[in-house]
Amino acid sequence: MKKNRPKYNQIIDAAVEVIAENGYHSSQVSKIAKKAGVADGTIYLYFKNKEDILVSLFQEKMGEFISSIEDEIKTKSNAKQKLLTLIEMHYSQLTKNHHLAIVTQLELRQSNKELRLMINDVLKPYLELIDQIVQEGMDENLFDSSLDLRIIRQMIFGTLDETVTNWVMNDQKYDLMKKAKEIHELFINGLAQK
Amino acid sequence: MKKNRPKYNQIIDAAVEVIAENGYHSSQVSKIAKKAGVADGTIYLYFKNKEDILVSLFQEKMGEFISSIEDEIKTKSNAKQKLLTLIEMHYSQLTKNHHLAIVTQLELRQSNKELRLMINDVLKPYLELIDQIVQEGMDENLFDSSLDLRIIRQMIFGTLDETVTNWVMNDQKYDLMKKAKEIHELFINGLAQK
Amino acid sequence: MKKNRPKYNQIIDAAVEVIAENGYHSSQVSKIAKKAGVADGTIYLYFKNKEDILVSLFQEKMGEFISSIEDEIKTKSNAKQKLLTLIEMHYSQLTKNHHLAIVTQLELRQSNKELRLMINDVLKPYLELIDQIVQEGMDENLFDSSLDLRIIRQMIFGTLDETVTNWVMNDQKYDLMKKAKEIHELFINGLAQK
Amino acid sequence: MKKNRPKYNQIIDAAVEVIAENGYHSSQVSKIAKKAGVADGTIYLYFKNKEDILVSLFQEKMGEFISSIEDEIKTKSNAKQKLLTLIEMHYSQLTKNHHLAIVTQLELRQSNKELRLMINDVLKPYLELIDQIVQEGMDENLFDSSLDLRIIRQMIFGTLDETVTNWVMNDQKYDLMKKAKEIHELFINGLAQK
DNA sequence: TATGAATGAGACTTCATTCAT
DNA sequence: CATGAATGAAGTCTCATTCAT
């Protein structure tokens, strides 16, 4: 809807905070409105319904997440560096925004199937970015070209997601960034041409 | 509670079916009772509350899942074979039981944080089994001992989980078992001592 | 639904009272439940939704209304007496039940188009009863057979309905029954064969 | 209020259209404003509130309705002709304006009791016009003077109203004007002096 | 005059759980 | 042990109206 109005972002940011603090199922529209400093009804001038807040939240935040990773990756010249950048950026983005990490890793997964399908759509560009890097690595003879691209993508994304989720569930009490290099090596070795 | 009575299992099996068919949020206690062929109130003679059905379901089914993997692994003599067996058994167990796959990979994740923490407890023995195999591989000098055990476990579990979830989300339409060997090689290479 | 249970009728009777006292738009489900002496949720064991209460109310009460008129008319031997009986019964039924008169003449007409279409269905047997009497009168050469049956039915029903509505709007402060004979004569003269 | 301004009539005409097309309960102020080509707030410069739009609509349109019937009746010299003119004009006015017919016969009846009482006030001159004609008929010895004026008025208005409502509910698919003569005869006979 | 973004009260319905039988 | 009728708390969304510009 009217995405350029400041209230649109106010509401999305309020939703992130409220969901992170209260959990998905205790995040009533009225709570989000209060945190955003608007009336309940105002929410519905900017969002079709409650689910639309969550979808928009994920789209906006994931959009930023993905494009800042893409921007950073463009400055790297080979697949190995690009993969490291992807891992480091993935971790750093979520480390920088504790609330967002809780919301994307834990709370939003409690949503219903329809919302999760939309979430998958939003993630598609990110998975394609992973595919591009792996393909580039294969073209550079860094990675084994006989491997199944989909499996590799699932390994990389599955590992990143699982490590972040564990970190969030452990109350983010260790330094996720420090794991990046080791994960990177695991991937590079696993994918290496023999 | 009275776990040895036949109705206990009737109700759990009914819950798996109802959740797989209707989704987590459309699985009312009354629907489960009907499918199990008992009255609504009878549920509460065997389970403390609705959440207890789900926790018990996960405990029972995951218990079987884990012990049959453990049993099979005991017949293998080295870490490499054990890891392959773990992957193959993980996939075959869920391939054999479509409904259970849907419930564990998609529907139960919509539950609230507390239930998910209990689910994590149930998974602990499985994660420890992975740790054991990896440790054994390190002792055999098959795997690089300098790697962080937790990270490896997260990579292995994260990858298995992500591949199964993708397969379920794609309506289980390809043969998951065929991917096992390639995944296995990715792990072996990734973890190999250099 | 479970129409034979006493609560079904309790709720319908409560609805008549609540609507008559508060008006259609101030008759919340919770008010009806309270008057019926049941919990809000109990309403939904007997009725699909709020509209279903109103439809059922009209069906039940109109059903009684129509069949008691039919029963009385059966005891009369000619169209002239039958028409008088119809008028007198129409008035006496509503005179006897002040609340019902308010609900059917004023409040239920504020409902939406769908509900009004269902109301029309319920009224059909009554309109057919009028048609039968008029047809009988034509067969007896009491009424002019060249008249349009539909127009006559609309004149009779329209007049009865308008007189009752006026009486209700005037707070039922005059004796409606006393008008029956004069209305009857108007009809008999209007319809008479020349 | 400021009744002579063009926007006053714009808004009323928009209200008729919007209500005829969407039904009473789907006719929000914002929809009427949009159809009228003004801002929501502008409505409140010309009308006290939403109800005031509807009352004014009825007053304006009914005012025209009644005065054109009065004008036509003035050209007739006796009660019998006047009554026929009233019936024919009643039908022709509503036949000419389909939207208005829907609004007055169906949609406005869904309004609350207070609005309907105001509507009754607006109708008063029309009912008095009927009374005048009937009284004139009695003075001419055309009608039976012993009849109750109120009952006759209710019969005439009730019949006209019921016939129009039925015609509207049947999607105005037959020619209402053709019924006028027969209705007229029914009245004349019914009221005739014996 | 005219605008239109913002307000906020209010109600229907679901469903986990209980308890008298 | 088993039943199932009854309970009642709780949240999303609409829309008439206002008021700063």
Side-chain angles (χ1 to χ4, degrees), chain A residues 23 50 71 74 102 108 111 116-117 156 159 175:
Chain A
K50 188 182 177 182
D71 290 349
K74 275 185 199 141
I102 293 171
L108 237 45
S111 57
R116 292 225 307 296
L117 287 175
I156 293 174
T159 301
D175 186 348

Side-chain angles (χ1 to χ4, degrees), chain C residues 28-40:
Chain C
Q28 295 83 353
V29 170
S30 59
K31 245 180 216 164
I32 295 172
K34 196 170 188 181
K35 176 79 83 177
V38 299
D40 292 17

Side-chain angles (χ1 to χ4, degrees), chain A residues 160-183:
Chain A
L160 295 178
D161 196 57
E162 181 71 15
T163 49
V164 176
T165 298
N166 271 274
W167 169 77
V168 173
M169 279 203 164
N170 278 287
D171 298 324
Q172 318 185 341
K173 63 185 170 216
Y174 51 87
D175 186 348
L176 189 58
M177 293 299 296
K178 283 187 181 159
K179 315 284 179 181
K181 281 221 164 58
E182 190 166 342
I183 303 267

Side-chain angles (χ1 to χ4, degrees), chain A residues 40-113:
Chain A
D40 292 18
T42 305
I43 300 269
Y44 293 87
L45 297 176
Y46 295 91
F47 301 91
K48 218 171 50 251
N49 50 34
K50 188 182 177 182
E51 186 173 291
D52 190 31
I53 307 176
L54 304 175
V55 173
S56 304
L57 179 167
F58 201 79
Q59 282 174 338
E60 295 286 329
K61 298 303 180 185
M62 249 342 193
E64 292 172 19
F65 177 92
I66 294 170
S67 56
S68 63
I69 295 182
E70 283 175 335
D71 290 349
E72 193 64 25
I73 279 175
K74 275 185 199 141
T75 69
K76 308 299 171 186
S77 55
N78 61 59
K80 192 173 173 180
Q81 283 189 319
K82 286 183 180 179
L83 184 58
L84 179 59
T85 303
L86 181 113
I87 298 167
E88 286 179 338
M89 288 292 291
H90 189 126
Y91 288 166
S92 72
Q93 299 270 326
L94 293 171
T95 296
K96 267 189 274 180
N97 193 338
H98 288 204
H99 280 167
L100 187 61
I102 293 171
V103 171
T104 59
Q105 298 303 124
L106 300 184
E107 302 302 340
L108 237 45
R109 315 225 165 172
Q110 300 175 49
S111 57
N112 59 41
K113 220 182 290 172

Side-chain angles (χ1 to χ4, degrees), chain C residues 94-159:
Chain C
L94 293 170
T95 296
K96 266 188 274 179
N97 193 337
H98 287 203
H99 280 165
L100 187 62
I102 293 171
V103 171
T104 59
Q105 299 302 125
L106 299 185
E107 302 301 341
L108 239 43
R109 317 227 163 169
Q110 300 176 48
S111 56
N112 58 42
K113 222 184 285 173
E114 283 148 38
L115 180 49
R116 292 224 308 296
L117 286 175
M118 286 188 246
I119 286 177
N120 277 350
D121 273 349
V122 176
L123 279 179
K124 217 173 236 174
Y126 189 55
L127 299 177
E128 285 167 2
L129 178 60
I130 295 177
D131 283 359
Q132 274 173 34
I133 295 173
V134 174
Q135 184 62 53
E136 209 174 311
M138 288 175 173
D139 295 345
E140 293 172 5
N141 288 324
L142 175 70
F143 299 150
D144 181 348
S145 309
S146 69
L147 296 171
D148 180 331
L149 210 56
R150 177 160 63 182
I151 288 184
I152 296 171
R153 177 213 310 150
Q154 289 172 5
M155 177 184 76
I156 293 174
F157 184 79
T159 301

Side-chain angles (χ1 to χ4, degrees), chain B residues 143-169:
Chain B
F143 300 149
D144 182 348
S145 309
S146 69
L147 296 170
D148 181 331
L149 210 56
R150 178 162 63 182
I151 287 184
I152 294 171
R153 179 215 307 151
Q154 289 172 4
M155 178 184 74
I156 292 173
F157 184 79
T159 302
L160 294 179
D161 195 59
E162 180 72 15
T163 49
V164 177
T165 299
N166 270 274
W167 170 75
V168 173
M169 279 201 164

Side-chain angles (χ1 to χ4, degrees), chain D residues 108-126:
Chain D
L108 239 45
R109 315 231 162 166
Q110 298 175 50
S111 56
N112 58 42
K113 218 185 293 174
E114 291 104 49
L115 178 50
R116 293 227 303 297
L117 287 174
M118 288 189 243
I119 285 177
N120 277 352
D121 275 348
V122 177
L123 279 178
K124 217 172 237 172
Y126 188 55

